[in-house]
Amino acid sequence: MKMPEAPMVVCGEDRGNERDREALEFIENVTKNADEVQSQVLSAILRRNADTEYLTRYGLDGRSDRETFKKCLPVITYEDLEPEIHRIANGDTSPILSAHPVSEFLTSSGTSAGERKLMPTIQEELERRTLLYSLLMPVMNQYVQGLDKGKGMYFLFIKSEAKTPGGLLARPVLTSYYKSRYFKERPYDPYNVYTSPNETILCPDSYQSMYSQLLCGLFQNNEVLRVGAVFASGFIRAIRFLEEHWRELCLDIKTGTLNKEITDPSVREAVLKFLTPNPDLAELIRSECSSGSWQGIITRLWPNTKYIDVIVTGTMAQYIPTLNFYSGGLPLVCTMYASSECYFGLNLRPLSKPSEVSYTLLPNMAYFEFLPVRRNEDFSTDLPGSLNEQEQEEVVELVDVKLGQEYELVVTTYAGLYRYRVGDVLRVTGFKNLAPQFHFVCRKNVVLSIDSDKTDEAELQKAVEYSLKHLEPFGSKLIEYTSYADTSTIP
């Protein structure tokens, strides 16, 4: 079987329906032929990287079949790869993990081990990420009509980057994408027009970036059909920024000028290109922001908004009540599942409730395996650091996972991660054709551990939600929470 071809890039309005049809057809093809696609992906990865030091060490000898792959290569963690990663970071350009040159390192958040991880990537991975982004709107258009008639107000930011001793950039995956030509030179697509000019997104000063993006979003308020950020916390940060700075923003809109605190020349030029005096809009914003209550402020300022596009799964679920308060109950949409290691898949039912969100893993993105997760008597997850021979044999293929079972995700990528444990615990909720759909449960090893009692992040979230019921009679609401293991008393 030939690998299903990715949908073509859209250039113009008249191809909208054809673009959607091609994208949905692509999803249908890769999920119907999930096992064949996975076999082709693994074979392609192993053949191209056959002469790398890592695969040679484990005796693959150019073979690219699954049986040999699983027999020869161990399931590994980041700690197992650290010596190789340090060599690459320090300037070793020999083919250690990948036959293709490592173009940069993508930095993880460090949520699991407390330290930032460096994930090697190659240039062509940007194409795979762009492919996944291109599938989001065709899926969304099945559920929400007319999204090509307006704009998206998304708060997108770059973060600081560093260089390794060998001169490779090390930065977050989204910073890498926003700075790439795939984002900066993206073709016009009526379904993906943002209120924020590129210059405001690429501004390294977080204050100037946030201020100018909010200003642009407010100035185009009636054109906004959807709002969002990457994470729920980022979107709420934008609303709180508005609470603090609406007076200055109103003045800029009233006079058609830009606050002197915005000093970045490219940002000033981009914003002043279209900013003109609009006293009526300034008065509307002033009236709404000074009315006392900010409940439903999103639909009061952006009245045509159809949904909020943010990640509200995992620990981000704590922000759902706040988002509901500010939005008046707009749908909360989680569109895709990705990490610094790999982009995995997307949500084919984007209007489902946050608690019911499931992601379909696309078999063409990487080679996926799954390590069964066992729950202990106290319901904590049992995830050993290193696997013995029997545990290695329990790892299952993408199409062999069982409904209702929890697994830790294991990936093999084009960039040179082989049988790598991502650290995400997923529960199988269903299937799209032969491709499984997963609910994100939690990160492994993110626990409060006191004596022998372990509480993972999913259990902590449930405990906080339960506790909130006791606060409701007092008119209190949760802003956010953190956790701390208090061992000063026993129990």
Side-chain angles (χ1 to χ4, degrees):
M1 177 204 145
K2 183 185 174 189
M3 179 87 80
E5 288 188 11
M8 293 173 65
V9 176
V10 180
C11 298
E13 292 185 53
D14 55 343
R15 285 211 60 231
N17 290 336
E18 188 182 345
R19 183 278 310 265
D20 285 8
R21 181 187 59 75
E22 288 177 359
L24 297 175
E25 219 170 75
F26 176 78
I27 294 169
E28 193 70 19
N29 286 339
V30 294
T31 55
K32 269 185 179 174
N33 301 289
D35 199 42
E36 293 94 329
V37 172
Q38 280 281 275
S39 181
Q40 290 175 11
V41 166
L42 179 63
S43 180
I45 291 171
L46 297 181
R47 283 201 313 269
R48 72 193 288 180
N49 296 321
D51 295 327
T52 58
E53 181 184 313
Y54 189 85
L55 293 186
T56 302
R57 181 190 310 159
Y58 286 104
L60 249 65
D61 297 326
R63 289 170 292 180
S64 60
D65 61 285
R66 290 191 210 192
E67 190 177 339
T68 306
F69 168 75
K70 294 179 84 166
K71 183 180 177 182
C72 292
L73 266 66
V75 176
I76 60 167
T77 64
Y78 183 77
E79 288 67 33
D80 297 316
L81 269 189
E82 271 191 296
E84 285 79 11
I85 287 172
H86 284 158
R87 284 173 57 197
I88 298 168
N90 287 328
D92 190 333
T93 58
S94 61
I96 299 171
L97 298 173
S98 170
H100 287 225
V102 172
S103 55
E104 62 183 324
F105 283 104
L106 302 177
T107 55
S108 72
S109 60
T111 51
S112 57
E115 289 184 12
R116 194 176 65 160
K117 295 175 181 175
L118 296 174
M119 292 297 162
T121 190
I122 57 178
Q123 191 63 34
E124 73 173 51
E125 279 298 308
L126 281 163
E127 294 174 19
R128 264 179 281 279
R129 289 175 215 138
T130 303
L131 166 63
L132 195 60
Y133 285 125
S134 76
L135 302 176
L136 301 181
M137 289 312 295
V139 171
M140 198 70 215
N141 290 338
Q142 297 178 99
Y143 297 89
V144 182
Q145 303 301 309
L147 292 172
D148 58 332
K149 308 301 183 204
K151 299 182 179 182
M153 182 180 69
Y154 282 75
F155 299 106
L156 308 175
F157 304 93
I158 60 169
K159 293 190 175 178
S160 62
E161 52 189 44
K163 279 200 171 180
T164 67
L168 288 172
L169 280 172
R171 55 190 178 180
V173 62
L174 288 172
T175 298
S176 169
Y177 178 70
Y178 297 148
K179 287 191 166 188
S180 76
R181 65 179 177 84
Y182 293 93
F183 180 78
K184 294 194 290 186
E185 300 170 18
R186 62 195 184 278
Y188 173 76
D189 177 358
Y191 290 95
N192 267 318
V193 180
Y194 299 134
T195 55
S196 299
N198 283 358
E199 292 83 356
T200 64
I201 295 169
L202 297 171
C203 177
D205 184 296
S206 59
Y207 175 89
Q208 293 186 58
S209 179
M210 178 72 84
Y211 187 97
S212 56
Q213 289 193 58
L214 256 175
L215 179 61
C216 294
L218 286 166
F219 187 74
Q220 302 168 81
N221 73 320
N222 283 325
E223 296 178 67
V224 171
L225 299 182
R226 53 199 175 103
V227 299
V230 178
F231 294 105
S233 55
F235 186 78
I236 288 170
R237 194 165 66 246
I239 298 301
R240 293 195 182 136
F241 187 96
L242 178 60
E243 286 186 81
E244 294 177 15
H245 298 284
W246 63 263
R247 292 172 184 81
E248 303 100 287
L249 290 159
C250 276
L251 181 61
D252 286 353
I253 290 170
K254 182 179 179 180
T255 60
T257 59
L258 183 55
N259 192 320
K260 287 192 173 102
E261 290 186 334
I262 309 306
T263 57
D264 186 301
S266 63
V267 171
R268 291 193 69 85
E269 183 182 350
V271 174
L272 289 171
K273 255 182 201 172
F274 64 86
L275 186 65
T276 55
N278 192 334
D280 292 341
L281 176 57
E283 176 54 30
L284 167 71
I285 297 166
R286 187 206 63 78
S287 173
E288 294 294 353
C289 291
S290 62
S291 66
S293 173
W294 275 55
Q295 187 166 7
I297 194 68
I298 293 168
T299 47
R300 283 155 51 190
L301 292 178
W302 296 279
N304 299 314
T305 304
K306 298 174 185 280
Y307 62 88
I308 302 177
D309 184 352
V310 287
I311 293 172
V312 286
T313 50
T315 54
M316 290 294 131
Q318 64 178 286
Y319 299 107
I320 292 172
T322 308
L323 287 169
N324 288 336
F325 174 81
Y326 284 131
S327 74
L330 284 172
L332 304 176
V333 170
C334 301
T335 56
M336 64 184 286
Y337 172 39
S339 75
S340 50
E341 292 91 343
C342 177
Y343 277 31
F344 305 116
L346 68 171
N347 181 4
L348 296 179
R349 293 188 298 117
L351 294 185
S352 54
K353 295 176 183 175
S355 59
E356 297 170 1
V357 166
S358 291
Y359 300 102
T360 302
L361 264 60
L362 294 185
N364 61 298
M365 297 304 291
Y367 183 68
F368 300 113
E369 296 176 276
F370 301 87
L371 174 62
V373 172
R374 295 180 179 84
R375 292 277 176 178
N376 297 318
E377 287 182 13
D378 61 359
F379 293 102
S380 63
T381 53
D382 186 7
L383 291 162
S386 56
L387 304 185
N388 59 37
E389 191 173 329
Q390 182 184 341
E391 288 164 335
Q392 295 260 6
E393 290 174 0
E394 290 175 354
V395 176
V396 298
E397 309 279 351
L398 180 76
V399 297
D400 294 329
V401 296
K402 305 297 182 190
L403 190 66
Q405 172 69 48
E406 290 182 359
Y407 298 91
E408 182 187 346
L409 180 59
V410 178
V411 297
T412 297
T413 70
Y414 288 90
L417 297 177
Y418 305 97
R419 309 197 83 188
Y420 178 86
R421 295 170 65 176
V422 174
D424 289 355
V425 177
L426 310 174
R427 182 184 304 117
V428 184
T429 57
F431 293 84
K432 166 66 175 174
N433 296 319
L434 295 178
Q437 298 172 314
F438 294 92
H439 176 72
F440 180 89
V441 178
C442 63
R443 288 283 297 166
K444 72 166 187 179
N445 299 337
V446 181
V447 294
L448 290 176
S449 181
I450 305 177
D451 194 12
S452 61
D453 183 29
K454 291 181 172 61
T455 305
D456 67 28
E457 65 183 15
E459 294 164 327
L460 178 63
Q461 175 67 29
K462 286 179 187 173
V464 171
E465 287 173 357
Y466 179 77
S467 304
L468 282 176
K469 294 175 183 176
H470 299 287
L471 293 176
E472 286 170 2
F474 304 100
S476 298
K477 66 177 187 286
L478 179 73
I479 301 300
E480 56 191 349
Y481 72 84
T482 186
S483 56
Y484 171 69
D486 182 2
T487 57
S488 60
T489 59
I490 298 176

